[in-house]
Amino acid sequence: MLAFVLRRMAQAVLVMVSVAFIAFVLFQYVGDPVVFLLGQDATPEQIRSLRADLGLDQPVVVQFGHFLVNAAQGEFGISLRQGAKVSRLIAERLPATVELAVVAAVLALLLGIPMGVYAALKRGTFVSQVFMTVSLLGVSLPTFLIGILLILVFAVNLGWFPSFGRGDVMQLGWWSSGLLTAKGWHHIVLPALTLAIFQLTMIMRLVRAEMLEVLRTDYIKFARARGLSNRAVHFGHALKNTLVPVMTITGLQLGGLIAFAIITETVFQWPGMGLLFIQAVTFADVPVMAAYLCLIALIFVVINLVVDLLYFAVDPRLRIERAGAH
């Protein structure tokens, strides 16, 4: 296990260094930060002075080394648009995005797994066919269209939920949470549902396919031959083995929810990192873009590592294969 963890951590470091290099290239080829900070009317002396202060007059290798050190400390400089430290801007927006992604992931799991199990065990029934039809719509419709339709029905026509904003929040140190207030929950329903629909349908279809595959295996036939009840076979044996690959996909999708919440946050004007990134792209705010890229890569790397460890712990076949290899 220790060797496995160390090997995965070494791979994670290589991935982060590669992403940091891509982010560093943004600084080199997407505009001159000195011109952004000082404006077009700056004198040559002011430009040379600021370039020296920022270390931009040094060789590229030295600049990349400084960038790596600063990035490891969570420092990406000053936002060219807002004039504030990028780390502070990210810290202010991170809670909103994380809470939105977590609520969407929990919603997708709580609905997707039971729907997938039902669609597998009750094939051909009317409800099962409805689930499969809805899943096709969820996979096919783009996220922004789903969000607009939900706003039209539940915010404009029915007036049940607000169409934008995060609602009231409570401060817990540097973390701001909307899940501790009634208005916060009221505001998060539509964006979380919009973000969860694609993941929900994918989890449902994956659980259904895996469940059908597991039910055809020999050990399930043996369990039936032993006289076990359908409940014991379906939920004590089949579902447990079905959830192993689902756990892997779900972990990766949590990173995807955080990374690709951009569209949902834009539609609902949700004050998260995705909306901050869109604004940064609009104004060519390179430090914010670089910080967002590195943070999302770090989230994916950490989630991948955790999922691999859980997969290693849950699936005994991996431990047996590695022990046999040694």
Side-chain angles (χ1 to χ4, degrees), residues 230-266:
N230 285 335
R231 183 184 182 87
V233 172
H234 293 160
F235 300 103
H237 295 278
L239 182 59
K240 184 186 300 183
N241 290 277
T242 297
L243 294 181
V244 174
V246 173
M247 179 180 65
T248 304
I249 298 298
T250 302
L252 298 178
Q253 289 305 311
L254 179 59
L257 287 172
I258 296 175
F260 304 119
I262 296 175
I263 298 175
T264 302
E265 292 185 4
T266 303

mmCIF file of all heavy atoms in Angstrom, residues 230-266:
data_model
loop_
_atom_site.group_PDB
_atom_site.id
_atom_site.type_symbol
_atom_site.label_atom_id
_atom_site.label_comp_id
_atom_site.label_asym_id
_atom_site.label_seq_id
_atom_site.Cartn_x
_atom_site.Cartn_y
_atom_site.Cartn_z
ATOM 1 N N ASN A 230 -34.245 -13.162 -3.134
ATOM 2 C CA ASN A 230 -33.905 -12.155 -4.137
ATOM 3 C C ASN A 230 -33.328 -10.899 -3.492
ATOM 4 O O ASN A 230 -32.413 -10.273 -4.041
ATOM 5 C CB ASN A 230 -35.150 -11.790 -4.948
ATOM 6 C CG ASN A 230 -35.525 -12.868 -5.934
ATOM 7 O OD1 ASN A 230 -34.679 -13.651 -6.354
ATOM 8 N ND2 ASN A 230 -36.802 -12.935 -6.286
ATOM 9 N N ARG A 231 -33.850 -10.518 -2.339
ATOM 10 C CA ARG A 231 -33.349 -9.335 -1.642
ATOM 11 C C ARG A 231 -31.879 -9.514 -1.262
ATOM 12 O O ARG A 231 -31.065 -8.610 -1.460
ATOM 13 C CB ARG A 231 -34.191 -9.075 -0.389
ATOM 14 C CG ARG A 231 -33.797 -7.826 0.376
ATOM 15 C CD ARG A 231 -34.610 -7.698 1.659
ATOM 16 N NE ARG A 231 -34.276 -6.495 2.382
ATOM 17 C CZ ARG A 231 -34.837 -5.324 2.169
ATOM 18 N NH1 ARG A 231 -35.778 -5.199 1.245
ATOM 19 N NH2 ARG A 231 -34.490 -4.267 2.874
ATOM 20 N N ALA A 232 -31.535 -10.676 -0.734
ATOM 21 C CA ALA A 232 -30.143 -10.934 -0.359
ATOM 22 C C ALA A 232 -29.237 -10.972 -1.581
ATOM 23 O O ALA A 232 -28.107 -10.455 -1.554
ATOM 24 C CB ALA A 232 -30.049 -12.246 0.415
ATOM 25 N N VAL A 233 -29.712 -11.575 -2.664
ATOM 26 C CA VAL A 233 -28.903 -11.664 -3.887
ATOM 27 C C VAL A 233 -28.706 -10.281 -4.508
ATOM 28 O O VAL A 233 -27.584 -9.892 -4.864
ATOM 29 C CB VAL A 233 -29.559 -12.623 -4.902
ATOM 30 C CG1 VAL A 233 -28.836 -12.554 -6.243
ATOM 31 C CG2 VAL A 233 -29.535 -14.045 -4.367
ATOM 32 N N HIS A 234 -29.802 -9.537 -4.618
ATOM 33 C CA HIS A 234 -29.742 -8.245 -5.302
ATOM 34 C C HIS A 234 -28.952 -7.201 -4.516
ATOM 35 O O HIS A 234 -28.112 -6.493 -5.083
ATOM 36 C CB HIS A 234 -31.166 -7.734 -5.563
ATOM 37 C CG HIS A 234 -31.908 -8.569 -6.532
ATOM 38 N ND1 HIS A 234 -33.297 -8.569 -6.631
ATOM 39 C CD2 HIS A 234 -31.485 -9.470 -7.472
ATOM 40 C CE1 HIS A 234 -33.676 -9.405 -7.577
ATOM 41 N NE2 HIS A 234 -32.596 -9.963 -8.091
ATOM 42 N N PHE A 235 -29.228 -7.104 -3.216
ATOM 43 C CA PHE A 235 -28.640 -6.021 -2.434
ATOM 44 C C PHE A 235 -27.449 -6.460 -1.580
ATOM 45 O O PHE A 235 -26.607 -5.632 -1.233
ATOM 46 C CB PHE A 235 -29.719 -5.397 -1.537
ATOM 47 C CG PHE A 235 -30.866 -4.819 -2.302
ATOM 48 C CD1 PHE A 235 -32.072 -5.486 -2.395
ATOM 49 C CD2 PHE A 235 -30.729 -3.604 -2.964
ATOM 50 C CE1 PHE A 235 -33.132 -4.959 -3.114
ATOM 51 C CE2 PHE A 235 -31.778 -3.069 -3.686
ATOM 52 C CZ PHE A 235 -32.984 -3.750 -3.761
ATOM 53 N N GLY A 236 -27.368 -7.745 -1.257
ATOM 54 C CA GLY A 236 -26.230 -8.208 -0.474
ATOM 55 C C GLY A 236 -25.031 -8.595 -1.313
ATOM 56 O O GLY A 236 -23.894 -8.538 -0.839
ATOM 57 N N HIS A 237 -25.258 -8.986 -2.567
ATOM 58 C CA HIS A 237 -24.162 -9.444 -3.422
ATOM 59 C C HIS A 237 -24.026 -8.585 -4.687
ATOM 60 O O HIS A 237 -22.960 -8.050 -4.957
ATOM 61 C CB HIS A 237 -24.372 -10.909 -3.807
ATOM 62 C CG HIS A 237 -24.316 -11.856 -2.646
ATOM 63 N ND1 HIS A 237 -23.132 -12.319 -2.118
ATOM 64 C CD2 HIS A 237 -25.308 -12.409 -1.897
ATOM 65 C CE1 HIS A 237 -23.393 -13.128 -1.100
ATOM 66 N NE2 HIS A 237 -24.712 -13.203 -0.943
ATOM 67 N N ALA A 238 -25.109 -8.485 -5.442
ATOM 68 C CA ALA A 238 -25.014 -7.809 -6.749
ATOM 69 C C ALA A 238 -24.726 -6.312 -6.602
ATOM 70 O O ALA A 238 -23.824 -5.777 -7.235
ATOM 71 C CB ALA A 238 -26.305 -8.020 -7.537
ATOM 72 N N LEU A 239 -25.489 -5.627 -5.756
ATOM 73 C CA LEU A 239 -25.326 -4.175 -5.634
ATOM 74 C C LEU A 239 -23.955 -3.811 -5.089
ATOM 75 O O LEU A 239 -23.338 -2.828 -5.520
ATOM 76 C CB LEU A 239 -26.422 -3.608 -4.735
ATOM 77 C CG LEU A 239 -26.407 -2.084 -4.553
ATOM 78 C CD1 LEU A 239 -26.553 -1.382 -5.896
ATOM 79 C CD2 LEU A 239 -27.518 -1.639 -3.601
ATOM 80 N N LYS A 240 -23.450 -4.606 -4.137
ATOM 81 C CA LYS A 240 -22.149 -4.317 -3.561
ATOM 82 C C LYS A 240 -21.051 -4.319 -4.631
ATOM 83 O O LYS A 240 -20.179 -3.452 -4.661
ATOM 84 C CB LYS A 240 -21.828 -5.343 -2.479
ATOM 85 C CG LYS A 240 -20.527 -5.089 -1.739
ATOM 86 C CD LYS A 240 -20.207 -6.218 -0.783
ATOM 87 C CE LYS A 240 -21.303 -6.388 0.258
ATOM 88 N NZ LYS A 240 -20.956 -7.450 1.243
ATOM 89 N N ASN A 241 -21.086 -5.285 -5.526
ATOM 90 C CA ASN A 241 -20.085 -5.358 -6.591
ATOM 91 C C ASN A 241 -20.363 -4.362 -7.707
ATOM 92 O O ASN A 241 -19.454 -3.954 -8.419
ATOM 93 C CB ASN A 241 -20.031 -6.774 -7.156
ATOM 94 C CG ASN A 241 -19.427 -7.762 -6.181
ATOM 95 O OD1 ASN A 241 -18.218 -7.897 -6.079
ATOM 96 N ND2 ASN A 241 -20.281 -8.453 -5.439
ATOM 97 N N THR A 242 -21.618 -3.980 -7.857
ATOM 98 C CA THR A 242 -21.955 -2.975 -8.860
ATOM 99 C C THR A 242 -21.368 -1.622 -8.499
ATOM 100 O O THR A 242 -20.956 -0.863 -9.374
ATOM 101 C CB THR A 242 -23.489 -2.864 -8.990
ATOM 102 O OG1 THR A 242 -24.005 -4.109 -9.454
ATOM 103 C CG2 THR A 242 -23.872 -1.757 -9.955
ATOM 104 N N LEU A 243 -21.319 -1.299 -7.219
ATOM 105 C CA LEU A 243 -20.920 0.031 -6.782
ATOM 106 C C LEU A 243 -19.417 0.269 -6.850
ATOM 107 O O LEU A 243 -18.972 1.406 -6.683
ATOM 108 C CB LEU A 243 -21.409 0.276 -5.344
ATOM 109 C CG LEU A 243 -22.921 0.349 -5.163
ATOM 110 C CD1 LEU A 243 -23.265 0.618 -3.713
ATOM 111 C CD2 LEU A 243 -23.509 1.433 -6.061
ATOM 112 N N VAL A 244 -18.615 -0.770 -7.083
ATOM 113 C CA VAL A 244 -17.157 -0.572 -7.159
ATOM 114 C C VAL A 244 -16.778 0.327 -8.337
ATOM 115 O O VAL A 244 -16.107 1.338 -8.156
ATOM 116 C CB VAL A 244 -16.426 -1.928 -7.214
ATOM 117 C CG1 VAL A 244 -14.937 -1.718 -7.444
ATOM 118 C CG2 VAL A 244 -16.637 -2.695 -5.911
ATOM 119 N N PRO A 245 -17.179 0.008 -9.575
ATOM 120 C CA PRO A 245 -16.867 0.942 -10.668
ATOM 121 C C PRO A 245 -17.637 2.249 -10.562
ATOM 122 O O PRO A 245 -17.150 3.293 -10.992
ATOM 123 C CB PRO A 245 -17.266 0.169 -11.931
ATOM 124 C CG PRO A 245 -18.255 -0.839 -11.469
ATOM 125 C CD PRO A 245 -17.843 -1.210 -10.081
ATOM 126 N N VAL A 246 -18.841 2.202 -9.972
ATOM 127 C CA VAL A 246 -19.614 3.432 -9.810
ATOM 128 C C VAL A 246 -18.876 4.400 -8.897
ATOM 129 O O VAL A 246 -18.891 5.615 -9.113
ATOM 130 C CB VAL A 246 -21.012 3.107 -9.248
ATOM 131 C CG1 VAL A 246 -21.782 4.380 -8.917
ATOM 132 C CG2 VAL A 246 -21.802 2.277 -10.254
ATOM 133 N N MET A 247 -18.224 3.887 -7.864
ATOM 134 C CA MET A 247 -17.468 4.722 -6.944
ATOM 135 C C MET A 247 -16.349 5.463 -7.682
ATOM 136 O O MET A 247 -16.104 6.646 -7.441
ATOM 137 C CB MET A 247 -16.879 3.867 -5.826
ATOM 138 C CG MET A 247 -16.044 4.626 -4.812
ATOM 139 S SD MET A 247 -15.390 3.514 -3.546
ATOM 140 C CE MET A 247 -14.293 2.489 -4.551
ATOM 141 N N THR A 248 -15.680 4.762 -8.592
ATOM 142 C CA THR A 248 -14.602 5.397 -9.359
ATOM 143 C C THR A 248 -15.143 6.523 -10.223
ATOM 144 O O THR A 248 -14.609 7.635 -10.217
ATOM 145 C CB THR A 248 -13.911 4.346 -10.252
ATOM 146 O OG1 THR A 248 -13.449 3.281 -9.435
ATOM 147 C CG2 THR A 248 -12.746 4.967 -10.993
ATOM 148 N N ILE A 249 -16.201 6.241 -10.963
ATOM 149 C CA ILE A 249 -16.778 7.249 -11.845
ATOM 150 C C ILE A 249 -17.308 8.429 -11.045
ATOM 151 O O ILE A 249 -17.130 9.595 -11.426
ATOM 152 C CB ILE A 249 -17.906 6.631 -12.699
ATOM 153 C CG1 ILE A 249 -17.346 5.530 -13.598
ATOM 154 C CG2 ILE A 249 -18.597 7.703 -13.535
ATOM 155 C CD1 ILE A 249 -16.314 6.000 -14.591
ATOM 156 N N THR A 250 -17.941 8.151 -9.908
ATOM 157 C CA THR A 250 -18.509 9.217 -9.091
ATOM 158 C C THR A 250 -17.417 10.138 -8.568
ATOM 159 O O THR A 250 -17.580 11.364 -8.540
ATOM 160 C CB THR A 250 -19.301 8.618 -7.916
ATOM 161 O OG1 THR A 250 -20.325 7.771 -8.427
ATOM 162 C CG2 THR A 250 -19.930 9.721 -7.083
ATOM 163 N N GLY A 251 -16.311 9.573 -8.137
ATOM 164 C CA GLY A 251 -15.206 10.395 -7.664
ATOM 165 C C GLY A 251 -14.679 11.326 -8.739
ATOM 166 O O GLY A 251 -14.435 12.513 -8.506
ATOM 167 N N LEU A 252 -14.504 10.785 -9.923
ATOM 168 C CA LEU A 252 -14.032 11.617 -11.032
ATOM 169 C C LEU A 252 -15.059 12.677 -11.400
ATOM 170 O O LEU A 252 -14.709 13.807 -11.764
ATOM 171 C CB LEU A 252 -13.721 10.734 -12.245
ATOM 172 C CG LEU A 252 -12.613 9.692 -12.053
ATOM 173 C CD1 LEU A 252 -12.453 8.871 -13.322
ATOM 174 C CD2 LEU A 252 -11.298 10.368 -11.694
ATOM 175 N N GLN A 253 -16.335 12.317 -11.314
ATOM 176 C CA GLN A 253 -17.375 13.276 -11.666
ATOM 177 C C GLN A 253 -17.470 14.418 -10.669
ATOM 178 O O GLN A 253 -17.890 15.521 -11.023
ATOM 179 C CB GLN A 253 -18.734 12.566 -11.769
ATOM 180 C CG GLN A 253 -18.857 11.669 -12.975
ATOM 181 C CD GLN A 253 -18.582 12.404 -14.270
ATOM 182 O OE1 GLN A 253 -19.108 13.475 -14.526
ATOM 183 N NE2 GLN A 253 -17.731 11.814 -15.098
ATOM 184 N N LEU A 254 -17.088 14.182 -9.400
ATOM 185 C CA LEU A 254 -17.079 15.275 -8.431
ATOM 186 C C LEU A 254 -16.085 16.353 -8.856
ATOM 187 O O LEU A 254 -16.387 17.544 -8.783
ATOM 188 C CB LEU A 254 -16.731 14.749 -7.034
ATOM 189 C CG LEU A 254 -16.661 15.809 -5.932
ATOM 190 C CD1 LEU A 254 -17.994 16.541 -5.795
ATOM 191 C CD2 LEU A 254 -16.267 15.174 -4.599
ATOM 192 N N GLY A 255 -14.923 15.914 -9.328
ATOM 193 C CA GLY A 255 -13.979 16.892 -9.871
ATOM 194 C C GLY A 255 -14.531 17.583 -11.096
ATOM 195 O O GLY A 255 -14.353 18.784 -11.281
ATOM 196 N N GLY A 256 -15.244 16.815 -11.928
ATOM 197 C CA GLY A 256 -15.859 17.413 -13.102
ATOM 198 C C GLY A 256 -16.938 18.415 -12.751
ATOM 199 O O GLY A 256 -17.086 19.442 -13.412
ATOM 200 N N LEU A 257 -17.696 18.130 -11.698
ATOM 201 C CA LEU A 257 -18.724 19.075 -11.268
ATOM 202 C C LEU A 257 -18.108 20.409 -10.861
ATOM 203 O O LEU A 257 -18.634 21.482 -11.172
ATOM 204 C CB LEU A 257 -19.518 18.491 -10.096
ATOM 205 C CG LEU A 257 -20.508 17.365 -10.428
ATOM 206 C CD1 LEU A 257 -21.072 16.766 -9.149
ATOM 207 C CD2 LEU A 257 -21.631 17.881 -11.311
ATOM 208 N N ILE A 258 -16.986 20.346 -10.134
ATOM 209 C CA ILE A 258 -16.327 21.576 -9.700
ATOM 210 C C ILE A 258 -15.725 22.305 -10.894
ATOM 211 O O ILE A 258 -15.832 23.529 -11.016
ATOM 212 C CB ILE A 258 -15.248 21.258 -8.655
ATOM 213 C CG1 ILE A 258 -15.890 20.669 -7.389
ATOM 214 C CG2 ILE A 258 -14.452 22.510 -8.304
ATOM 215 C CD1 ILE A 258 -14.894 20.216 -6.349
ATOM 216 N N ALA A 259 -15.117 21.540 -11.795
ATOM 217 C CA ALA A 259 -14.434 22.172 -12.931
ATOM 218 C C ALA A 259 -15.403 22.741 -13.954
ATOM 219 O O ALA A 259 -15.167 23.811 -14.521
ATOM 220 C CB ALA A 259 -13.514 21.150 -13.613
ATOM 221 N N PHE A 260 -16.509 22.033 -14.182
ATOM 222 C CA PHE A 260 -17.412 22.413 -15.260
ATOM 223 C C PHE A 260 -18.711 23.038 -14.751
ATOM 224 O O PHE A 260 -19.723 23.013 -15.446
ATOM 225 C CB PHE A 260 -17.711 21.192 -16.132
ATOM 226 C CG PHE A 260 -16.472 20.547 -16.683
ATOM 227 C CD1 PHE A 260 -16.156 19.234 -16.384
ATOM 228 C CD2 PHE A 260 -15.595 21.271 -17.476
ATOM 229 C CE1 PHE A 260 -15.002 18.641 -16.873
ATOM 230 C CE2 PHE A 260 -14.436 20.686 -17.977
ATOM 231 C CZ PHE A 260 -14.142 19.372 -17.672
ATOM 232 N N ALA A 261 -18.648 23.578 -13.527
ATOM 233 C CA ALA A 261 -19.798 24.327 -13.018
ATOM 234 C C ALA A 261 -19.862 25.723 -13.629
ATOM 235 O O ALA A 261 -20.732 26.512 -13.264
ATOM 236 C CB ALA A 261 -19.729 24.428 -11.496
ATOM 237 N N ILE A 262 -18.955 26.014 -14.563
ATOM 238 C CA ILE A 262 -18.866 27.348 -15.150
ATOM 239 C C ILE A 262 -20.190 27.757 -15.794
ATOM 240 O O ILE A 262 -20.694 28.863 -15.564
ATOM 241 C CB ILE A 262 -17.733 27.397 -16.196
ATOM 242 C CG1 ILE A 262 -16.386 27.167 -15.518
ATOM 243 C CG2 ILE A 262 -17.726 28.714 -16.934
ATOM 244 C CD1 ILE A 262 -15.230 27.080 -16.482
ATOM 245 N N ILE A 263 -20.753 26.856 -16.594
ATOM 246 C CA ILE A 263 -21.985 27.186 -17.324
ATOM 247 C C ILE A 263 -23.130 27.415 -16.351
ATOM 248 O O ILE A 263 -23.883 28.394 -16.467
ATOM 249 C CB ILE A 263 -22.323 26.072 -18.324
ATOM 250 C CG1 ILE A 263 -21.210 25.942 -19.369
ATOM 251 C CG2 ILE A 263 -23.658 26.336 -18.998
ATOM 252 C CD1 ILE A 263 -21.394 24.792 -20.323
ATOM 253 N N THR A 264 -23.265 26.511 -15.377
ATOM 254 C CA THR A 264 -24.349 26.644 -14.398
ATOM 255 C C THR A 264 -24.209 27.934 -13.606
ATOM 256 O O THR A 264 -25.198 28.641 -13.365
ATOM 257 C CB THR A 264 -24.357 25.436 -13.449
ATOM 258 O OG1 THR A 264 -24.504 24.235 -14.221
ATOM 259 C CG2 THR A 264 -25.496 25.543 -12.451
ATOM 260 N N GLU A 265 -22.994 28.253 -13.181
ATOM 261 C CA GLU A 265 -22.772 29.473 -12.405
ATOM 262 C C GLU A 265 -23.056 30.713 -13.248
ATOM 263 O O GLU A 265 -23.545 31.719 -12.723
ATOM 264 C CB GLU A 265 -21.344 29.501 -11.865
ATOM 265 C CG GLU A 265 -21.084 28.439 -10.806
ATOM 266 C CD GLU A 265 -19.695 28.555 -10.200
ATOM 267 O OE1 GLU A 265 -18.976 29.520 -10.555
ATOM 268 O OE2 GLU A 265 -19.325 27.703 -9.377
ATOM 269 N N THR A 266 -22.775 30.637 -14.526
ATOM 270 C CA THR A 266 -23.057 31.778 -15.402
ATOM 271 C C THR A 266 -24.564 31.964 -15.593
ATOM 272 O O THR A 266 -25.070 33.089 -15.538
ATOM 273 C CB THR A 266 -22.376 31.580 -16.765
ATOM 274 O OG1 THR A 266 -20.975 31.401 -16.576
ATOM 275 C CG2 THR A 266 -22.597 32.789 -17.659
#
